[in-house]
Amino acid sequence: MAETLLQVFARLIRATGPISIAHYMAESNARYYATRDPLGVGGDFITAPEISQMFGEMIGLSLADQWHRAGRPARIAYVEPGAGRGTLAQDALRAAARNGLVPEVHFVEPSPALRGLQRQRFAQATWHDDASTLPEDVPLLVVGNEFLDALPVRQLVRTEQGWRERMVGWDEAAGRLLPVAGSQPMDAAVPAAHADAAQCTILETSPAAAAVTADIASRLATQGGAALWIDYGHAEARTGSTLQAVRAHDKVDPFAHPGEADLTTLVDFSALVPVIEAAGARVDGVIEQGLFLRRLGIEARAAQLANAAPPHAGSVARALERLVDPAQMGSLFKVMGFAGGGWPAGAAF
């Protein structure tokens, strides 16, 4: 029988010492996404595109509107990293096509399991292991929904001895993984504003999210186009660990089931603003998902769907509430829009 990832980590830590949170997240999510379809009632979580077609339709209309106002370039590519089953792309591109936008389709997806599901809906799409092989000669329309939250983060913790990296260790007696402070001083890596923070303060950053955002922003600055990052997170920097795990739709100990649960963190959108600007692109804003969808007309679309199929009016109303209500996804989820020079801002910003 193959080793579980828990066994692999235990063996590694016994041999070489604690591993970083970033290492732990990267290995865990790589194993997790490579081996399953995590979405839906039978999976571990449900994303906005799976809740209602309205979500993807609003995004498709927004992209088509930007394309029109940018002069309707003849060649253009739709790019989606972490596209899941392809539901968002299907709904967005159907709505876009009704308005004349029919782009090339590119998915950045290393998971064989998810590529197979995407191929069922987009047989003619092009797949990429990472963004480095995306086309360089066309404007890009990039949409990442719940993509950044699964990228590895680095955590620093203030201890009695000063700042240390927060690591993952192995408790032999209990037979479990647990967070521990590393031995190397990390004070030089801490921003001056947090240098004298209280003990147990945790700082969380995502070099991986910054790197992929910088790459996309640089492409938009050079090639033209626009991007939307949609994820749960915050628009202003804050302290504390946001690492969490979801399994079978319940939150579980993030160190208990490596490779068997979805590990995520809240996205710090404020940290991405200077990254985008340094790459030469323009940030159009960071707004709540509920406001984003309302500005694009989701309530009118919900009324349309309810009128067309009265027996389903209740389910449409519930889906709308889940997507836009501040107590559900409406406030926790944010939408960041950014674009290349010469491209208009998205209508919702």
Side-chain angles (χ1 to χ4, degrees):
M1 182 181 294
E3 276 188 308
T4 67
L5 196 54
L6 181 67
Q7 292 170 327
V8 171
F9 282 143
R11 178 167 49 78
L12 174 64
I13 294 168
R14 285 193 198 103
T16 64
I19 60 175
S20 69
I21 294 283
H23 180 175
Y24 175 73
M25 279 192 73
E27 292 289 337
S28 297
N29 279 345
R31 171 83 64 101
Y32 176 77
Y33 283 102
T35 55
R36 74 203 66 220
D37 171 11
L39 297 163
V41 175
D44 292 318
F45 57 89
I46 296 177
T47 60
E50 305 293 335
I51 291 171
S52 172
Q53 69 187 67
M54 297 184 291
F55 181 80
E57 288 173 344
M58 294 302 104
I59 290 171
L61 292 175
S62 176
L63 297 179
D65 173 71
Q66 279 182 284
W67 173 71
H68 274 278
R69 290 187 286 122
R72 298 168 59 98
R75 278 195 68 210
I76 192 164
Y78 172 90
V79 176
E80 189 176 345
R85 295 170 172 169
T87 306
L88 169 57
Q90 185 177 53
D91 293 335
L93 294 177
R94 183 181 64 251
R98 289 198 295 263
N99 291 273
L101 172 59
V102 184
E104 303 170 12
V105 179
H106 295 260
F107 293 119
V108 180
E109 181 58 72
S111 166
L114 292 175
R115 278 193 184 194
L117 294 174
Q118 293 159 14
R119 191 169 284 110
Q120 292 175 19
R121 289 174 163 167
F122 293 94
Q124 303 305 313
T126 302
W127 280 266
H128 307 263
D129 290 327
D130 56 56
S132 66
T133 56
L134 289 172
E136 299 179 346
D137 58 346
V138 296
L140 306 178
L141 296 173
V142 183
V143 180
N145 180 64
E146 294 199 47
F147 166 67
L148 298 179
D149 66 290
L151 298 180
V153 301
R154 184 183 186 190
Q155 293 183 343
L156 301 179
V157 59
R158 179 73 190 274
T159 70
E160 289 183 8
Q161 294 75 37
W163 287 96
R164 300 289 187 270
E165 184 159 10
R166 196 168 185 243
M167 313 284 281
V168 179
W170 176 252
D171 184 333
E172 193 69 52
R176 67 183 298 271
L177 298 165
L178 76 171
V180 297
S183 59
Q184 296 298 315
M186 297 298 295
D187 301 76
V190 175
H194 295 291
D196 297 320
Q199 284 187 35
C200 299
T201 298
I202 294 173
L203 300 180
E204 189 173 81
T205 61
S206 179
V212 71
T213 300
D215 183 42
I216 295 298
S218 178
R219 286 174 171 277
L220 298 182
T222 303
Q223 300 170 222
L228 293 170
W229 284 153
I230 308 163
D231 229 311
Y232 62 105
H234 42 86
E236 297 180 355
R238 60 183 68 177
T239 61
S241 172
T242 68
L243 180 63
Q244 68 174 27
V246 173
R247 191 181 192 195
H249 302 275
D250 287 326
K251 287 187 178 181
V252 296
D253 179 351
F255 301 103
H257 308 283
E260 302 295 328
D262 179 44
L263 291 178
T264 61
T265 59
L266 293 179
V267 176
D268 179 5
F269 287 100
S270 69
L272 301 181
V273 172
V275 169
I276 293 167
E277 293 175 342
R282 182 192 71 245
V283 178
D284 292 326
V286 179
I287 62 175
E288 294 181 350
Q289 177 177 290
L291 179 59
F292 173 80
L293 294 172
R294 283 191 167 110
R295 285 179 173 175
L296 292 174
I298 193 171
E299 289 162 321
R301 178 56 173 155
Q304 228 178 22
L305 290 173
N307 290 337
H312 299 291
S315 61
V316 170
R318 287 189 294 274
L320 174 65
E321 181 180 20
R322 188 167 179 185
L323 292 172
V324 305
D325 191 293
Q328 299 197 50
M329 299 177 74
S331 291
L332 178 60
F333 281 73
K334 308 296 189 299
V335 183
M336 168 180 264
F338 54 108
W343 270 71
F349 300 98

